[in-house]
Amino acid sequence: MSSTTYPPISYADYLKTNELLNQQKLRSEEFGRKAHDEMLFIIVHQTYELWFKQMLHELDSVLGIFAANPIPEQSMLMAVHRLSRMVEIHKLLVDQVSVMETMTPLDFLDFRDMLYPASGFQSTQWRLLENKLGLKRDQRLTYNAVPYHAYVNEAEAARMKQAEAEPSLFDRVDEWLTRTPFLKTKDFDFANVYGQAVRELLQQDREAVRRHAKSDEDRERNLKSIDETEKVFNALFDASRYAELKSQGHFRLSHEALQAALLILLYRDQPIFALPFQLLTKLQDLDELMTQWRYRHSLMAHRMLGSKIGTGGSSGAQYLKAATEKHRVFADLFNLATFLIPRSKLPALPESLTRKMNFTSP
Amino acid sequence: MSSTTYPPISYADYLKTNELLNQQKLRSEEFGRKAHDEMLFIIVHQTYELWFKQMLHELDSVLGIFAANPIPEQSMLMAVHRLSRMVEIHKLLVDQVSVMETMTPLDFLDFRDMLYPASGFQSTQWRLLENKLGLKRDQRLTYNAVPYHAYVNEAEAARMKQAEAEPSLFDRVDEWLTRTPFLKTKDFDFANVYGQAVRELLQQDREAVRRHAKSDEDRERNLKSIDETEKVFNALFDASRYAELKSQGHFRLSHEALQAALLILLYRDQPIFALPFQLLTKLQDLDELMTQWRYRHSLMAHRMLGSKIGTGGSSGAQYLKAATEKHRVFADLFNLATFLIPRSKLPALPESLTRKMNFTSP
Amino acid sequence: MSSTTYPPISYADYLKTNELLNQQKLRSEEFGRKAHDEMLFIIVHQTYELWFKQMLHELDSVLGIFAANPIPEQSMLMAVHRLSRMVEIHKLLVDQVSVMETMTPLDFLDFRDMLYPASGFQSTQWRLLENKLGLKRDQRLTYNAVPYHAYVNEAEAARMKQAEAEPSLFDRVDEWLTRTPFLKTKDFDFANVYGQAVRELLQQDREAVRRHAKSDEDRERNLKSIDETEKVFNALFDASRYAELKSQGHFRLSHEALQAALLILLYRDQPIFALPFQLLTKLQDLDELMTQWRYRHSLMAHRMLGSKIGTGGSSGAQYLKAATEKHRVFADLFNLATFLIPRSKLPALPESLTRKMNFTSP
Amino acid sequence: MSSTTYPPISYADYLKTNELLNQQKLRSEEFGRKAHDEMLFIIVHQTYELWFKQMLHELDSVLGIFAANPIPEQSMLMAVHRLSRMVEIHKLLVDQVSVMETMTPLDFLDFRDMLYPASGFQSTQWRLLENKLGLKRDQRLTYNAVPYHAYVNEAEAARMKQAEAEPSLFDRVDEWLTRTPFLKTKDFDFANVYGQAVRELLQQDREAVRRHAKSDEDRERNLKSIDETEKVFNALFDASRYAELKSQGHFRLSHEALQAALLILLYRDQPIFALPFQLLTKLQDLDELMTQWRYRHSLMAHRMLGSKIGTGGSSGAQYLKAATEKHRVFADLFNLATFLIPRSKLPALPESLTRKMNFTSP
């Protein structure tokens, strides 16, 4: 604690509380009709923006780690740790919606029309978060047919576009997954042995349906569903079939990346896959929390606005509800569950592989 | 504390811990392939069923209070209190999904196929909850085209149908709202004075849109939206128009009930409306939490199953997602936000009314 | 929505995001050794300060309502509503400790010694919150034997002292409670009839102990405890005895206020007592949440610092733990549980009273 | 999914809902004075017992993993995963206290005296949890001077005593830590190089205090605190001094185990220490959550009972508050923060070590 170099600093100066607590300017007060609940509205949004800054701070550091090729082994724990922190923060952001909901629609009306056209759609940081995670421009719902970057000034729009242009976390994870070792060695061809095991299982699924169906209609529907699963499954190993489905939007990861993610999920107990497995889980958690947050927001918007014209003159609730699903980034990881098989049917790894996957020789 | 009448009882005998803790029978253990995570699966569902029993216990008591005509004033606090408790419990049930999510899809596969055809769709208590709140038979999504009561045995199906046949909480609240005093007296015709105020405001909305629209397209879309709002609004006061929209599914409450709910929201600060206002808020909270729970469940089902055949041989995730919105009961209360006007424009209540709405004379 | 008067405003200008997001100055960065986790440390504390501002905003409005004598009936719902909001916010603040805990002690060490002597003890807003709720100067634990206001600059110290000098929420609630009607009328002397009922019950307690004690030692200890309860109870009705106990710190409310609070708890189902009952409950919830927050902080401080010198050069964890209990404001309301009797033994209210406690004649 | 082997099973039969939902027997109903809130009391405690069973299920599996010597590398991920699940469940158990708190003391009184002498102290599963984690008999607070196992029947007392006799998780972690490699090799003597670095830092602490103290009194107090820290620190490396302090209750882990835990915390980024680091963190999280739970319970008991005789005829709130701190098991891990030094001062690991700590050669 070499404080000789560091001058003392007070709490207020360190946290700049004066400046911070001087940024809450109520429009209703400015116009002589002070509305009590406008303070809550401002504070809720300002705390969101502070947390968005924190999320971007963590995300940028994970992007930094994942930009390296190869990623140093000693950086993996930190990457998982910081994604965990993002998940922890995001749970708080979802719960925070309940605080906003203590404002009644009638109280919102006291100042709502003074905010035009300000709207959450103009939150640059939220857009940066989405872009840096991996939301693509053509994936975005337009809002009132206006491109999303048209809602902000030029400097902010430039920041958003730059984030779009740079590799996102999705891109980096895709690249990193394709570099996963052990997919194909002379002792072990994962695609081959796994393909066999899965085909066996789907056949047993069919037999189960035939035996237990409640009706002909029920049986046919389920058999058809299994056939479709098998078709998608075939794409898992047939590169041109996969490319076709990918172009239709059914997949987003590269072919090798998807196979690698599957390998990690199946053999996660091998020490070399432990942190990668945790990382993929955290990406799912984050994707799910952002989805929950959009959904909670759409419910709150409905509660607050009914179907009346909103602060930005638009139907926010409907946009938010549609974006809930459309703006998902890591859906592939969720869909991997389709391709898992029971542990008891998992092909065993040859010793030549496990030796390299562990710290000590068996 | 007249313990002379009461024999002593131990914790274990009181809570029947022996019996309670003897109901966790793992199928995987029964079939000689014990899966560790099956215990979690059972415990999560059993705790849900215990909480469903508690929710039904509270709901039945509120139904009992609301069956009286008129409802005694001294029962209102208890009704609000018990609905608050249901809301508090339901928050816990939503958070509990995160505990279920600590089970990975690979671990679920260790015992999933031994559970066929058991499925959450067979939870009688959850259906009772939905029915007693007010979910109507024709509102329910079918699941694999099978009526919902076909999933359970006869006794349970009979319970569910009986709950459908009896007045639900929605029905009781509808009746209670229609009995709200002060809607129309010789000194005050709410529909009349309110209709005037709303029409003025919508006109101002139009002027705002014309002034601030970003483009012709933007303006036309918003003006059309206001016109539609005004059409729906007219239905608020035109009984035959309202009946028409109601038959199309846009409203569910009776005409007088909707107007009464609006009156309560607008004049909630009058002591006579305080508890009714809190009650309507709690109904919204509950409706929203059940909606959140269904949504969290659909996300979890996607995570756990991908698009593979589920424990009941069906695509649960898709059903749950669709049911999320379709199974809402108190949507009218949310839509009331469409009809609120700023407090500053609210017609004043004549003294002849406020005297009766308060405890002491002004 | 008369937007003619209101110029348009963007999200960024409204929420002052530029200024807000420019207040995070990392000391570690300033001194050329940027520590990643310092951003989290700053953001966590800044969001706390924003929420403190919000809590003070709500508290000031409740203090405003409670300054009136008498409090207008139409203000009670709003007072309860805003206290509810404070409770909802405080739950978030407690959960937020988990986000801070994602920082490991090793990461804290990267910048900890650059913060000297800044410390949470210098948070003016938190002190204002405690003072305005009702924490008295002589109730405060000193920290390193330094008066609490010595940690801040003069302007801030002046704000804190002013809040001490003005009536706190505790003071206002005390006054309001003493004005509760129905404590003593010609038809009903609450102190009298209640005293009789309680004495009967304590006698039954004694009989229960004698009958069920596990040993002589067990019986004597419990009988002694009942005797002490009865002594305190006598103070509830004996004004000079109460004054004596109050001077020893066992009670804080005035004598009439305590009796009134008891009346409200016992007869809360009477419409006139519904909102007062909810208000007292919210005060307890708030008191409990602030206590939980201090406790969580002491646990986190232990985790982060062990017993090493802290950022302010002091043992924060120990102070926080002791303050957890000592800084409680509404302990009287919790202790009222000691004086409740079973509903079945509750003296009935005469009709002359209930008529005034309800809206309509029975 | 070989359903040929498995007969079908319904939801109700699988979860034994009939039996489960038939274990809620209200004493107040049995005695003809049905109290509505007794159902909540029963359900809350029964769900707690179901979750305790789940926690024990996870804990037993982790104990199983940690009984092996050495622990297979492929089991570490599962151990961390299951402890994480216990943490996730325990958060729910803490939140569940808020549900219990929706019961008012007045409502509790309707049935409280019918429960004598049942009490949470008789929860066998909670005691098993504490014992299996590592709570020692002589560490337990007695309750009304009665040994804790005297509250239950013989079979349950036997279970508790057996759990005491077997190695607890604390014991197993202690053993496992002592087996941590790399503490002392010919290239690296951790105790030696670390001791030097720490001594330097404490000296800088002293200089900081002298420079920034607010008064002579302030300076002397802090210097004394540093001297005491240095004394405890010396015990970290002086085996006989450590043994002395351990016998006084300042430490519980073995000497080597404490040093190993420190090594893991300091060099956690080395892949070989990643999962061990996460495991130690989860043990702290669990310890902290159980502490929070006891504290929340003591607050609730105060709220529910004041200082009146409880259901078991004893002062539960006071016991719970004292047990909050006394019953901590992994306090050593929290106190390790005292011994950490800034990352920049951390002795570098020689390459001969890092090569073995990673999967690939540098």
Side-chain angles (χ1 to χ4, degrees), chain A residues 68 82 87 106 119 121 126 146 151 183 270 320:
Chain A
R82 290 178 180 174
V87 165
L106 191 64
S119 149
F121 294 102
W126 178 256
V146 177
Y151 285 100
L183 259 181
Q270 298 299 328
L320 284 162

Side-chain angles (χ1 to χ4, degrees), chain A residues 33 91 95 97-98 101 104-110 112-113 116-117 122 143-146 150-151 201-202 205 208-209 212-214 217-218 221-222 225-226 229 265-268 277 281-282 284-285 288 291-292 295-296 299-300 302-309 312-315 321 324-325 328 331 333-344 346, chain B residues 33 91 95 97-98 101 104-110 112-113 116-117 122 143-146 150-151 201-202 205 208-209 212-214 217-218 221-222 225-226 229 265-268 277 281-282 284-285 288 291-292 295-296 299-300 302-309 312-315 321 324-325 328 331 333-344 346:
Chain A
R33 297 171 43 189
K91 290 180 191 175
D95 288 344
V97 180
S98 302
E101 285 181 322
T104 68
L106 191 64
D107 292 309
F108 188 32
L109 269 174
D110 281 344
R112 213 174 91 183
D113 53 322
Y116 190 89
Q122 298 166 358
Y143 184 53
N144 283 342
V146 177
Y151 285 100
L201 245 44
L202 285 177
D205 277 356
V209 167
H212 297 289
K214 282 183 147 51
E217 190 184 73
D218 185 52
R221 192 187 317 108
N222 284 326
S225 165
I226 294 172
T229 300
L265 291 214
L266 294 169
Y267 299 100
R268 68 202 186 195
F277 169 73
T281 303
K282 287 300 168 186
Q284 282 186 268
D285 291 344
E288 206 185 292
T291 303
Q292 284 183 44
Y295 191 67
R296 286 292 301 273
L299 290 177
M300 187 196 68
H302 182 206
R303 189 170 185 146
M304 212 56 71
L305 305 171
S307 58
K308 203 171 183 179
I309 191 164
S314 49
S315 49
K321 189 159 292 175
T324 297
E325 286 297 311
R328 297 190 75 167
L333 300 179
F334 287 77
N335 288 325
L336 273 179
T338 319
F339 304 122
L340 300 175
I341 67 177
R343 212 188 308 266
S344 54
L346 216 55
Chain B
R33 297 170 43 185
K91 291 180 191 174
D95 288 345
V97 180
S98 302
E101 285 181 323
T104 68
L106 191 64
D107 293 308
F108 189 30
L109 269 175
D110 282 343
R112 212 174 92 185
D113 53 322
Y116 189 90
Q122 298 167 358
Y143 184 52
N144 283 342
V146 176
Y151 286 99
L201 244 46
L202 286 176
D205 276 357
V209 167
H212 296 290
K214 283 184 149 50
E217 189 183 72
D218 185 52
R221 190 184 321 106
N222 285 325
S225 164
I226 295 173
T229 301
L265 293 212
L266 294 170
Y267 298 101
R268 70 205 185 191
F277 169 72
T281 303
K282 288 300 168 185
Q284 281 185 270
D285 291 345
E288 206 185 293
T291 302
Q292 282 183 45
Y295 191 68
R296 285 292 302 272
L299 291 177
M300 187 196 69
H302 182 206
R303 191 171 184 142
M304 211 56 69
L305 305 170
S307 59
K308 204 169 182 179
I309 189 164
S314 48
S315 50
K321 189 159 292 172
T324 298
E325 286 296 312
R328 297 191 74 167
L333 299 179
F334 287 77
N335 290 324
L336 273 180
T338 320
F339 304 122
L340 299 175
I341 67 178
R343 210 188 309 266
S344 54
L346 215 56

